[in-house]
């Protein structure tokens, strides 16, 4: 079984495990292309074409079950080399990532393609946007020098919150460029 790793900068793994996040998006192709798409007969994956050329293929298909993993960052602080018995050359710490399995899985229940800005308010909530009183927002964990800072960003609408989150995650112009996205609906099993 394949493993899926959610973006923990936005607390997504906890949202999946608590049932808040039940949808995810992944970049398919630029929004300025004329596209068509179909399900590949060989592997069952949604495939995007532009001018008869394959330009993107979904990573997952409906019905597929994926184990949930979490990336754990470890820092190897003993990465120094010794030259002779007096001179010590200190190398920067090595950052390594290990996948820790959570013994939980999700099942993909649907796959489709749509423009990023076509997301509805309801889908914003499925993507992990939270209702905070009469406002909307998301949580953001920032790691600087292995110290974590927690912030909550608050907006007037779910779409404003989602557009800010997607720009932090994918880049400053992700929302404005309005690319085609693979949309995966899933459930925790």
């Amino acid at each position: 079984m394949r493993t899926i790793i959610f973006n923990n900068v936005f607390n997504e793994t906890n949202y999946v495990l608590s049932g808040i996040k039940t949808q995810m998006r992944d970049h398919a192709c630029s929004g300025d292309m004329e596209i068509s798409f179909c399900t590949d007969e060989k592997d069952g994956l949604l495939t995007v074409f532009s001018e008869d050329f394959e330009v993107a293929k979904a990573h997952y298909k409906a019905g597929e079950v994926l184990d949930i993993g979490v990336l754990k960052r470890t820092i190897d602080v003993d990465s120094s080399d010794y030259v002779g018995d007096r001179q010590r050359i200190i190398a920067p710490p090595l950052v390594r990532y290990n996948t820790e399995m959570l013994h939980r899985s999700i099942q993909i229940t649907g796959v489709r393609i749509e423009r990023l800005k076509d997301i509805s308010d309801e889908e914003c909530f499925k993507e992990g946007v939270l209702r905070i009183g009469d406002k909307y927002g998301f949580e953001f964990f920032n790691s600087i020098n292995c110290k974590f800072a927690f912030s909550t960003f608050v907006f007037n609408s779910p779409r404003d919150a989602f557009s800010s989150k997607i720009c932090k995650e994918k880049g400053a112009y992700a929302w404005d460029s309005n690319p085609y996205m693979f949309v995966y609906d899933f459930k925790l099993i």
Side-chain angles (χ1 to χ4, degrees):
M1 188 177 320
R2 296 194 306 160
T3 301
I4 186 166
I5 297 173
F6 291 96
N7 187 338
N8 279 334
V9 170
F10 298 101
N11 204 18
E12 289 186 346
T13 303
N14 287 335
Y15 290 170
V16 169
L17 295 174
S18 65
I20 294 170
K21 183 173 176 65
T22 60
Q23 193 175 84
M24 61 186 171
R25 282 170 168 62
D26 191 23
H27 186 269
C29 62
S30 140
D32 57 359
M33 304 173 108
E34 291 288 328
I35 67 162
S36 61
F37 51 92
C38 66
T39 301
D40 190 313
E41 292 178 9
K42 294 178 188 168
D43 57 21
L45 296 172
L46 186 63
T47 306
V48 179
F49 296 90
S50 179
E51 298 179 11
D52 295 328
F53 292 100
E54 181 181 310
V55 294
K57 186 173 278 208
H59 295 288
Y60 314 109
K61 60 185 172 186
E64 189 171 1
V65 176
L66 305 163
D67 285 335
I68 300 172
V70 176
L71 283 183
K72 293 291 186 176
R73 184 166 86 170
T74 59
I75 297 179
D76 183 2
V77 294
D78 188 21
S79 58
S80 302
D81 292 325
Y82 291 91
V83 178
D85 49 50
R86 291 189 176 189
Q87 190 176 14
R88 184 173 179 185
I89 299 170
I90 299 175
L94 298 174
V95 177
R96 301 172 197 259
Y97 292 91
N98 299 321
T99 303
E100 180 181 302
M101 302 310 295
L102 297 181
H103 307 293
R104 298 294 304 266
S105 301
I106 62 167
Q107 182 175 28
I108 304 295
T109 58
V111 181
R112 66 184 182 281
I113 189 166
E114 67 181 28
R115 300 294 288 268
L116 180 59
K117 289 184 179 181
D118 290 344
I119 190 169
S120 68
D121 286 352
E122 185 61 36
E123 289 175 321
C124 290
F125 295 122
K126 291 179 181 181
E127 278 276 358
V129 169
L130 305 171
R131 192 178 305 271
I132 303 169
D134 63 344
K135 303 282 185 185
Y136 306 92
F138 61 90
E139 296 175 335
F140 180 72
F141 291 89
N142 190 7
S143 172
I144 301 170
N145 298 329
C146 301
K147 295 180 182 173
F148 292 95
F150 173 76
S151 301
T152 301
F153 293 84
V154 180
F155 300 89
N156 291 323
S157 76
R159 284 174 48 93
D160 288 345
F162 179 76
S163 70
S164 177
K165 178 181 179 250
I166 205 80
C167 287
K168 286 187 180 307
E169 186 176 358
K170 307 276 188 201
Y173 299 104
W175 182 257
D176 292 337
S177 67
N178 198 21
Y180 288 100
M181 304 292 282
F182 291 113
V183 181
Y184 302 98
D185 293 298
F186 60 88
K187 64 181 180 181
L188 188 63
I189 55 173

